[in-house]
Amino acid sequence: MEYVLLPKLKLMDSLQHRAPLWAQLFIAIFYLALITVASSMGGNASPEFDLTNPSLLLMLKIGQVILVTITFIVPVMLFSYVMRAEKLAFLPLKKMPNWRALIVALTICLFALPLVSGTAQWNANMHLPSFMSGIESWMRVKENIAGETIKVFFVNNTLGNMFINLFVIAFMAGLSEEIFFRGFLQRLFIENKMNKHIAVWLTAILFSAIHLQFFGFIPRVLLGAVLGYLYVFTNNLWVPIIAHTVNNGFAVVMAYLTGSMESDPLTKNGQETISPMLVLSSALLITIQLVFLYRIQRKKLSDLIDTIESK
C-alpha cells in the first residue's frame, strides 16, 4: 500500500475500522499530550544514585527498557489490535528493507553529523528574551536533569556496559520511538489527508518536544524529519528504526572510546565552532540522498505497476 509515494492513490476504502480516521488521530494526539504532561511534571532535582553499585545501574537500564516499551510500543499494539481492521499488521514490521534503501539511510546518518553538531551548538547557546527568563530557567533545569540522568548510563565505562547501552539507548530507543512517532502518529496524519511534508515536520516537532530537552530541540527536529522522510519514501518502518539506532549507537560508541558522553569529534567538546558552510553542505548532501532514495523507490513502484498491468 504505497500511499506515501502515490498520493493520488486512495487508501483501501474497504477497510472497516472500529473508529473513523479522525477519531484515531484524536486518540493518538490525546495520548501524546498525556505522556508529555506526565514528563513535564517530573521533579526539579537531579536524580541521585549510588554510582558504585553495578546492580542498581543495571536495574535502572532494565527500568528504562520497560518504560519505553510500556510508553510507546504497548499502546500502539493495543491501538492496532482494537482500532484497526488489519490489527497488528498496521505496523509494517514483517517486510525487511531493501538493501539500497538501508545503504542510503546509513550514508545519511554519516552526512548528518555536521548538521546535527552545528545546530546543536547554536541551539545550546540560545537565550529567550528577558521577560521570558522564568521560562528559560525552567527549560535549563529540565535540560540539566535530562543530562544528569543520561550520564548515569555511562558511569561504568567498560566494553560490556557499552553493549548494554547500545541495546538500551540505541536499539530500544530507536525501535520504540519510531514505532510510535513514524509508524503510528505520522502515518495517522497522512491517512487523515494531511500533506505528507507537513505530516513529517509536525511529527518531527512533536518527537523533539516530548524529550523536554529544549536546548537540543532544533537538531532533534531535523533528525526526526530525516527519519520521517525515510519512512515516507520507503514505506518500511525498519529503515528509520535502523537509522535511528545507528545514530544513537554512534554516540554510545564515541562515549565509550573517549570516556565522555559529551565528546564530539567535530567540535572538540564544544571548543570549536562548526563552519556554517560545513553545516549547509551537510544539509545539501542529506537532501540529495533523500531525493535519490525517493527516485529509487518510485522507479521500483513504477516497474511493479507496469508488471501488474502487463499480465
Side-chain angles (χ1 to χ4, degrees):
M1 189 163 55
E2 303 283 351
Y3 66 93
V4 292
L5 289 177
L6 294 179
K8 293 183 181 180
L9 290 180
K10 294 183 178 180
L11 298 174
M12 295 173 62
D13 295 329
S14 60
L15 288 179
Q16 297 298 318
H17 304 303
R18 295 191 177 183
L21 289 174
W22 66 265
Q24 294 182 32
L25 180 59
F26 175 81
I27 292 171
I29 294 176
F30 180 74
Y31 176 73
L32 179 64
L34 283 180
I35 58 178
T36 303
V37 170
S39 299
S40 65
M41 292 176 64
N44 291 330
S46 300
E48 294 183 2
F49 301 99
D50 180 6
L51 302 183
T52 63
N53 189 336
S55 299
L56 184 59
L57 293 176
L58 180 60
M59 288 301 297
L60 176 66
K61 295 174 184 181
I62 293 175
Q64 180 66 19
V65 172
I66 295 173
L67 178 63
V68 297
T69 301
I70 293 176
T71 303
F72 294 127
I73 299 178
V74 173
V76 176
M77 294 180 67
L78 288 175
F79 173 91
S80 302
Y81 190 80
V82 174
M83 292 291 180
R84 302 289 298 198
E86 64 269 54
K87 296 190 181 296
L88 295 180
F90 170 65
L91 291 174
L93 292 172
K94 291 185 178 180
K95 183 177 66 174
M96 295 306 296
N98 179 280
W99 65 270
R100 286 184 295 182
L102 269 184
I103 291 177
V104 172
L106 296 178
T107 304
I108 288 174
C109 290
L110 178 63
F111 288 160
L113 291 177
L115 177 64
V116 172
S117 295
T119 54
Q121 196 174 60
W122 174 79
N123 198 171
N125 295 322
M126 179 192 75
H127 291 283
L128 298 180
S130 58
F131 69 89
M132 300 178 69
S133 59
I135 296 177
E136 181 173 341
S137 297
W138 176 81
M139 290 166 59
R140 292 199 180 276
V141 167
K142 288 295 182 181
E143 190 83 13
N144 292 335
I145 291 174
E148 291 300 318
T149 302
I150 294 173
K151 285 181 181 179
V152 174
F153 284 76
F154 296 91
V155 169
N156 185 14
N157 192 30
T158 64
L159 185 62
N161 190 60
M162 184 196 73
F163 283 112
I164 294 175
N165 284 341
L166 283 174
F167 176 75
V168 177
I169 299 174
F171 176 70
M172 282 305 300
L175 177 68
S176 61
E177 291 178 359
E178 292 311 304
I179 284 177
F180 185 87
F181 286 97
R182 255 59 65 175
F184 177 51
L185 189 60
Q186 179 177 298
R187 177 169 174 177
L188 287 179
F189 279 140
I190 295 176
E191 287 188 354
N192 276 274
K193 311 302 181 183
M194 181 181 289
N195 177 278
K196 63 177 178 290
H197 300 291
I198 296 176
V200 165
W201 285 97
L202 178 56
T203 304
I205 291 171
L206 295 173
F207 163 72
S208 184
I210 199 174
H211 286 80
L212 294 178
Q213 291 178 274
F214 306 98
F215 298 94
F217 182 83
I218 293 175
R220 193 171 282 108
V221 168
L222 296 176
L223 175 63
V226 170
L227 294 171
Y229 279 117
L230 287 177
Y231 182 42
V232 164
F233 294 157
T234 64
N235 200 31
N236 190 302
L237 194 54
W238 282 112
V239 176
I241 287 174
I242 292 173
H244 195 152
T245 299
V246 169
N247 177 77
N248 290 10
F250 176 79
V252 170
V253 172
M254 286 301 300
Y256 168 72
L257 294 177
T258 63
S260 171
M261 61 161 289
E262 298 176 349
S263 60
D264 187 338
L266 296 178
T267 65
K268 294 184 178 179
N269 299 330
Q271 297 177 4
E272 294 183 1
T273 301
I274 295 181
S275 166
M277 286 303 299
L278 182 59
V279 174
L280 290 175
S281 298
S282 174
L284 178 60
L285 288 172
I286 292 172
T287 303
I288 292 173
Q289 288 293 95
L290 286 174
V291 171
F292 176 68
L293 178 62
Y294 171 80
R295 290 183 175 178
I296 288 177
Q297 297 301 113
R298 194 171 184 87
K299 184 178 185 304
K300 180 182 176 183
L301 180 60
S302 177
D303 293 342
L304 177 61
I305 293 175
D306 291 342
T307 302
I308 294 174
E309 291 178 346
S310 65
K311 290 184 179 179

